[in-house]
């Protein structure tokens, strides 16, 4: 079983704290790019994982594309903008929990959905498209609507859409705009991967089950509710599954915890695994990732095998 996945969003320069106080390491990351990175590592070699974004034509953008290429992520659909460059974020850690400072106002990625023909070309060869609430948030409203429209057309032709709601109110004009856009994307999605804490805050959901039911009512056939240290909940094809949390021995940096979880779940499901197998692998991968600094790590063969079980 093989196929092609296109992840859509923004890859940024990442500054992550290193061992000594005040020292930072430079890398490249971003929510949908993190998921692409771990999908490429968790899926068999025959799968294609592509990334759709926009970058500049400067040396830093060149380094970013070289990083994606080295990670086995396809860059044929990356747009180049001579008048822009890539965004940057800095990770700040307190007892392993991360917060971010961003510099992305003129990021080239904000222009990725200007041309419907570009979107259609990127989707044409894919079996599954992966987007997030952050993808929608960084785009001008008309471009965000255009992306949702092209995903809807492509889905009607047989494609599958996956959405991580990834609610980040600071990126939106107001929370009403955010919730409406996310639910518009959910209406054209087959799988939704929300985080309960955010959904409870911004949608008022009382329980993870309420979150799952809201996205199922919007049209998703699978909803996987991440729940921090609480039990995971999946509502898939009318069946409810739960998975209690396993203790994590140490938490170094929670950056990309949810992004890697999504990759682990999708990799198992796309290769024929069950919902419960997907949840188990996803939780194990996320637990592994939060024990390293920064968003991305490279999995050796033994680690990958242990995660897949």
């Amino acid at each position: 079983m093989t196929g092609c996945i296109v992840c859509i969003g923004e890859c940024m320069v990442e500054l992550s704290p290193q061992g000594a106080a005040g020292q930072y390491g430079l890398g490249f990351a971003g929510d949908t790019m993190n998921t692409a990175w771990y999908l490429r590592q968790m899926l068999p070699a025959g799968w294609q994982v592509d990334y759709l974004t926009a970058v500049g034509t400067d040396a830093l953008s060149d380094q970013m594309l070289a990083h994606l290429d080295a990670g086995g992520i396809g860059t044929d659909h990356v747009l180049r903008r001579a008048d822009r460059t890539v965004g940057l974020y800095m990770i700040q850690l307190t007892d392993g929990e991360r917060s971010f400072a961003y510099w992305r106002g003129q990021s080239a990625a904000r222009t990725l959905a200007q041309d419907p023909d570009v979107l259609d070309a990127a989707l044409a060869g894919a079996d599954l498209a992966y987007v997030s609430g952050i993808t929608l948030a960084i785009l001008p409203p008309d471009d965000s609507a255009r992306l949702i429209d092209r995903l809807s057309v492509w889905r009607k032709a047989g494609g599958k859409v996956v959405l991580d709601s990834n609610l980040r109110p600071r990126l939106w004009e107001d929370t009403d705009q955010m919730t409406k856009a996310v639910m518009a994307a959910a209406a054209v999605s087959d799988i939704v991967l929300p985080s309960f804490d955010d959904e409870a805050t911004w949608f008022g959901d009382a329980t993870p089950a309420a979150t799952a039911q809201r996205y199922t009512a919007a049209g998703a056939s699978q909803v996987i509710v991440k729940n921090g240290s609480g039990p995971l909940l999946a509502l898939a094809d009318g069946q409810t599954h739960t998975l209690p949390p396993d203790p994590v021995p140490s938490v170094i940096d929670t950056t990309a915890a949810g992004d890697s979880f999504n990759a682990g779940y999708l990799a198992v499901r796309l290769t024929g695994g069950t919902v419960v197998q997907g949840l188990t692998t996803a939780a194990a991968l996320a637990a592994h990732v939060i024990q390293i600094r920064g968003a991305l790590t490279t999995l050796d063969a033994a680690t990958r095998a242990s995660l897949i079980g």
Side-chain angles (χ1 to χ4, degrees):
M1 183 185 299
T2 60
C4 177
I5 301 167
V6 59
C7 298
I8 306 170
E10 180 178 27
C11 184
M12 305 179 72
V13 176
E14 176 191 80
L15 297 179
S16 61
Q18 301 303 302
Q23 292 189 357
Y24 286 80
L26 185 148
F28 299 101
D31 69 327
T32 58
M33 184 277 192
N34 301 339
T35 299
W37 180 268
Y38 290 111
L39 274 169
R40 177 57 283 160
Q41 296 189 68
M42 295 295 288
L43 285 166
W47 283 80
Q48 175 71 21
V49 180
D50 291 337
Y51 201 60
L52 170 59
T53 191
V55 302
T57 56
D58 56 298
L60 198 54
S61 296
D62 290 342
Q63 291 178 42
M64 178 179 288
L65 291 186
H67 177 74
L68 293 174
D69 288 335
I73 297 170
T75 58
D76 288 349
H77 302 298
V78 176
L79 308 170
R80 306 300 298 262
R81 306 294 193 200
D83 59 339
R84 298 200 181 206
T85 185
V86 293
L88 178 150
Y89 73 93
M90 178 184 291
I91 301 173
Q92 299 162 310
L93 295 174
T94 303
D95 297 327
E97 287 297 327
R98 81 282 191 264
S99 59
F100 304 106
Y102 291 100
W103 294 266
R104 74 195 318 173
Q106 294 300 311
S107 166
R110 292 179 176 271
T111 71
L112 71 86
Q114 290 180 340
D115 187 339
D117 291 339
V118 168
L119 298 176
D120 290 345
L123 293 169
D127 302 288
L128 184 144
Y130 178 88
V131 296
S132 76
I134 293 177
T135 305
L136 302 174
I138 66 168
L139 301 176
D142 287 349
D143 290 6
S144 177
R146 181 179 300 110
L147 175 58
I148 293 171
D149 173 70
R150 300 325 297 166
L151 288 169
S152 176
V153 171
W154 174 75
R155 184 191 186 210
K156 290 175 182 176
K160 300 290 185 183
V161 179
V162 180
L163 170 71
D164 180 345
S165 53
N166 226 343
L167 303 171
R168 298 292 182 267
R170 287 195 303 169
L171 298 177
W172 298 88
E173 290 185 7
D174 54 57
T175 56
D176 184 61
Q177 182 193 48
M178 175 181 72
T179 54
K180 286 181 178 177
V182 166
M183 290 310 296
V188 303
S189 297
D190 300 277
I191 302 174
V192 182
L193 298 149
S195 296
F196 175 63
D197 286 349
D198 293 337
E199 304 290 327
T201 299
W202 304 111
F203 282 99
D205 297 337
T207 63
T211 297
Q213 290 162 3
R214 175 167 49 80
Y215 284 115
T216 299
S221 59
Q222 296 182 57
V223 182
I224 314 303
V225 185
K226 294 160 285 187
N227 192 19
S229 60
L232 295 164
L233 183 143
L235 186 56
D237 301 321
Q239 301 294 314
T240 300
H241 309 266
T242 58
L243 185 73
D246 284 332
V248 178
S250 62
V251 178
I252 304 299
D253 182 351
T254 58
T255 306
D259 306 328
S260 58
F261 177 97
N262 297 349
Y265 179 79
L266 292 172
V268 170
R269 297 292 282 143
L270 288 170
T271 52
T274 66
V275 172
V276 172
Q277 288 170 333
L279 294 176
T280 301
T281 294
L285 177 56
H288 177 79
V289 167
I290 65 176
Q291 295 177 66
I292 57 99
R293 293 186 184 276
L296 304 183
T297 187
T298 300
L299 308 175
D300 58 33
T303 300
R304 179 181 178 278
S306 69
L307 293 170
I308 293 175

